[in-house]
Amino acid sequence: MIALEEAQAKVNRELQVLPPADVPIAESLGLTLAETVIAPEAIPPFANTAMDGFAVRAADTVGASEQSPVSLPVVGTIAAGTTAARPLKPGEAMRIMTGAPVPDGADAIIMVELTKPNGFEVDIMAEVPVGNHVRPAGDDIAAGSEILHPGTVMAPGHLGVLASVGRQTVTVFRRPRVGVMSTGDELVEGPEPLEPGQIRDSNRVTLLALVREAGFQPVDLGLIRDDEAELEAAFRRGVATCDAVITSGGVSMGDYDYVKAVLTRLGDFSWMQVAIKPAKPFVFGLLDEVPVFGLPGNPVSSMVSFELFARPGLKRMMGHLEAERPRIRARTTEPLRRHPDGKTHFSRVVASKVGDEWQVRSSGGQGSHQLMAMATANALAIVPDGDGVDEGELVDVMYLG
Ligand code: AMP
Ligand code: MG
């Protein structure tokens, strides 16, 4: 057996970040930035008002109060999207709406709530300082400043920042196309009653969903028989059209575990026995330069193997700097029992925050075929080799969310 870290390092050594591409900004959500974005223009582009009210000179409001308001003639109205017809002169006021440019000559805004209409004049009922409610040009983003850096994972606000400075496209690392196939003669799809010995293919729909959830582009490569020629053809089809291929099944010690045999014959593949439970057997390598992840067939094993090898590896391929799931320390509310076997166990648990502390309990049956407990888990407790973790002890947890 080899250590988990060694197996992960083997995978990461082979993976290359996909080439960057220009995409419309709306399509960059979740992708990793491959350029430094420099603001071509300032935001806001001009000094504007943060309030509906009146543009004035602060000096003209000195001493104004509710009891002794200052009356100023209203010489114009400025709506958002327009500009003042002329500069403001001393002793004047202009009506102004949120987002409208502050007219030349004005240096403060008084909000409408602190004024009262008075014929052609407005009564100013408070004294305001210079700059009151004025949003200066460049207050958010200065023209020429570096605003986004390579490695940024594009979130909705980043898209808004790009739009605000007039960008139409952005250079990001491409979303990998990830092909998923199931292998096994016992597997069937569709609603027909099962024949003796048959089971339904559940891994493919699960892995395709994990691929989609992680932000990769899923490609269904179908259900493949335990037949060397069919497997070889399927792998070749997969690597011809995808950036990575994920298979499940056929990598253990059984007589019909041909995935391992075919891959190691076709290319430079490593068959590993990783010191973890579940998901001990794992095959990885490049076929025509395309990474192929051979995950074990048991439903829980395939998901855990995806989490430990495929997800972080593929995240790196799309330029993510933080490719790992978050790790937390959590207190067990019941013992997480196991026996010494030289392996690290990834127990399916439910993690919840109680006050300041994370707590975990088992989510159910821990067999690698018991998909229910994996489905209801939101975390994997990392139980080191030994007899397990007692109730009330702290354990490292991989949070799946
Ligand atoms: P294998 O790794 O091919 O020996 O498969 C290990 C176990 O996982 C066997 O019990 C298989 O029937 C089961 N299995 C393999 N592939 C799938 C799948 N796609 N969906 C559900 N169970 C599977
Ligand atoms: Mg099989």
Side-chain angles (χ1 to χ4, degrees), residues 24-41:
I25 61 168
E27 284 168 29
S28 70
L29 184 67
L31 299 179
T32 312
L33 198 58
E35 62 165 321
T36 300
V37 177
I38 295 173
E41 53 200 32

Side-chain angles (χ1 to χ4, degrees), residues 176-369:
R177 281 169 57 82
V178 181
V180 174
M181 68 177 82
S182 288
T183 74
D185 281 346
E186 75 280 32
L187 302 175
V188 292
E189 52 188 336
E192 285 76 32
L194 296 172
E195 299 289 334
Q198 290 185 330
I199 61 164
R200 302 187 196 280
D201 174 13
S202 65
N203 289 354
R204 194 154 39 109
V205 71
T206 309
L207 290 167
L208 285 166
L210 284 168
V211 162
R212 186 187 302 277
E213 185 192 51
F216 319 130
Q217 191 186 329
V219 178
D220 188 349
L221 297 176
L223 175 53
I224 314 298
R225 300 282 131 217
D226 287 323
D227 175 276
E228 297 207 28
E230 281 190 38
L231 284 168
E232 175 170 347
F235 295 143
R236 294 211 178 277
R237 267 198 313 276
V239 299
T241 53
C242 299
D243 300 305
V245 170
I246 295 176
T247 74
S248 69
V251 297
S252 307
M253 310 280 268
D255 286 352
Y256 306 100
D257 285 337
Y258 294 135
V259 170
K260 172 184 71 183
V262 171
L263 286 175
T264 46
R265 175 164 56 75
L266 292 181
D268 186 14
F269 278 80
S270 312
W271 178 60
M272 293 169 253
Q273 296 276 79
V274 189
I276 56 173
K277 188 177 178 183
K280 182 171 72 159
F282 173 54
V283 173
F284 178 78
L286 302 182
L287 178 58
D288 298 340
E289 323 235 312
V290 175
V292 179
F293 296 82
L295 313 185
N298 272 304
V300 178
S301 308
S302 71
M303 288 183 77
V304 169
S305 194
F306 178 90
E307 285 296 336
L308 296 176
F309 301 111
R311 189 178 183 281
L314 295 167
K315 286 265 176 194
R316 277 193 198 85
M317 279 177 78
M318 63 186 283
H320 280 237
L321 303 174
E322 291 260 334
E324 307 293 333
R325 294 281 201 186
R327 294 254 173 132
I328 52 180
R329 289 281 282 172
R331 198 171 296 285
T332 58
T333 58
E334 62 186 14
L336 299 177
R337 285 276 155 258
R338 52 159 295 174
H339 296 295
D341 58 6
K343 300 182 212 161
T344 302
H345 288 200
F346 287 83
S347 301
R348 278 69 79 198
V349 293
V350 176
S352 51
K353 192 105 189 263
V354 180
D356 283 347
E357 185 177 80
W358 280 97
Q359 296 186 345
V360 288
R361 62 170 172 82
S362 167
S363 64
Q366 296 289 318
S368 61
H369 61 295

